[in-house]
Amino acid sequence: MINKPKKTISKKKLTTLTTVLLVCFIFGGGLNSNLLPVIASGSGDFPPPSSGVWTISQETIINSEVIYINDSVSIESGGTLVLENCVIEMNGNEDDKANFIVKNNGNLTIINSKIEAFSDYSWYIEAEEGASLKITDSTLINFKGSKYTSVITLYNNYSVITNNTISNFNYKAIFARFTSHYNNITKNKISGGFVGFEVVDGWYNEINDNEFHSLSQFAISVNNGSFSNILRNKIFNVSSIAINFQRSMNVLCNTNNISTSKTAIEC
């Protein structure tokens, strides 16, 4: 974690602030919470170490912090990491060194936060089999490094990735693979990479109401992804195939809006 210089408050500013608070109490009947800044806080295994792996082995809840990640964040079995209203600067000194690994029985929840490449190297999130992952209302900005690693790789079931913006990635935005089932991939905006969403050997996934654009290969690729729904997605400006199917059955795919792509659907 990179330490920023601390700011001090002058006596004049402190006096002014005290006066404002007194006015609030006298004329407003107390403090209005909307007038106060959000207070940054963290618990459990927070803060991260300045170097080396940041291990999360207990419930760790972080709110409204700016955090610099130089290495791997390992959420161990029984550990929970909740990031809400945070800015996460991925500061690895080589491609994929900065990452989140969610292990079996570990839990990572990201809410209304921003994760971006602070250095000129890519980063990733990986949920192993048995892990729990939820990412909502967040912005994920990667760096197009030299490695072919997906921004989010799912080996687990029941992940929720909804209402996020994912951009500027080298390979795949979301990759569900090897028996990753029942994932909810909805209402995301995904752009600026190779593949938007791909599932290989994963069934019963919901890929609905997303927007995919400016991709060089596929917006959605389903390879043995049977019994999944692909509904109401908006897809445009895909250089190759908007939706690609292989070895899949009983996939409900309709009401998708596809334009300015070389091929709409290929089976």
Side-chain angles (χ1 to χ4, degrees), residues 1-266:
M1 182 172 66
I2 298 175
N3 295 319
K4 297 291 184 180
K6 294 183 179 180
K7 294 183 179 180
T8 58
I9 302 175
S10 66
K11 290 183 178 179
K12 182 178 180 181
K13 289 183 178 179
L14 186 59
T15 302
T16 303
L17 178 60
T18 303
T19 303
V20 170
L21 294 178
L22 286 173
V23 170
C24 288
F25 272 109
I26 294 170
F27 296 101
L31 280 175
N32 183 343
S33 61
N34 293 327
L35 297 177
L36 296 177
V38 175
I39 299 174
S41 63
S43 64
D45 291 312
F46 180 80
S50 58
S51 62
V53 176
W54 181 14
T55 300
I56 306 296
S57 58
Q58 58 183 312
E59 184 179 70
T60 301
I61 300 175
I62 305 170
N63 192 292
S64 304
E65 288 278 359
V66 178
I67 305 170
Y68 292 81
I69 304 297
N70 302 317
D71 210 311
S72 180
V73 181
S74 180
I75 298 116
E76 303 292 314
S77 177
T80 293
L81 176 60
V82 178
L83 301 169
E84 186 168 5
N85 303 316
C86 290
V87 175
I88 312 299
E89 302 285 6
M90 305 300 278
N91 193 35
N93 58 10
E94 60 183 81
D95 279 334
D96 298 341
K97 183 173 183 179
N99 57 68
F100 290 87
I101 304 292
V102 193
K103 297 187 177 180
N104 180 26
N105 201 35
N107 183 313
L108 174 61
T109 299
I110 301 170
I111 304 168
N112 194 35
S113 295
K114 181 179 182 180
I115 306 177
E116 63 181 349
F118 184 75
S119 62
D120 292 340
Y121 297 101
S122 59
W123 56 269
Y124 67 90
I125 297 171
E126 182 177 297
E128 296 182 354
E129 185 177 356
S132 177
L133 178 65
K134 181 179 181 180
I135 306 174
T136 63
D137 306 303
S138 296
T139 299
L140 285 68
I141 305 173
N142 215 320
F143 183 85
K144 292 189 176 183
S146 60
K147 290 190 176 180
Y148 290 95
T149 305
S150 302
V151 180
I152 303 171
T153 300
L154 307 175
Y155 294 93
N156 63 325
N157 300 326
Y158 298 103
S159 284
V160 175
I161 302 173
T162 185
N163 203 35
N164 304 290
T165 298
I166 306 174
S167 63
N168 197 40
F169 49 94
N170 192 48
Y171 194 38
K172 301 170 184 177
I174 305 170
F175 189 14
R177 57 187 305 179
F178 305 139
T179 65
S180 180
H181 308 309
Y182 300 101
N183 298 298
N184 188 338
I185 314 297
T186 57
K187 299 181 180 179
N188 300 288
K189 293 183 178 181
I190 298 174
S191 65
F194 187 64
V195 174
F197 172 81
E198 182 171 18
V199 56
V200 176
D201 299 328
W203 293 10
Y204 300 101
N205 291 291
E206 297 289 334
I207 309 107
N208 306 326
D209 301 298
N210 300 285
E211 180 180 296
F212 299 91
H213 70 89
S214 304
L215 300 164
S216 59
Q217 185 66 15
F218 308 131
I220 301 170
S221 179
V222 179
N223 188 340
N224 191 22
S226 300
F227 306 103
S228 296
N229 291 329
I230 303 173
L231 305 172
R232 301 178 302 276
N233 296 284
K234 183 178 180 180
I235 302 171
F236 59 98
N237 194 23
V238 176
S239 300
S240 184
I241 302 166
I243 302 176
N244 177 60
F245 291 104
Q246 299 180 51
R247 301 184 302 119
S248 300
M249 62 181 182
N250 295 326
V251 175
L252 181 59
C253 178
N254 60 38
T255 60
N256 295 289
N257 184 352
I258 302 173
S259 63
T260 59
S261 299
K262 184 177 180 181
T263 303
I265 299 175
E266 182 174 281

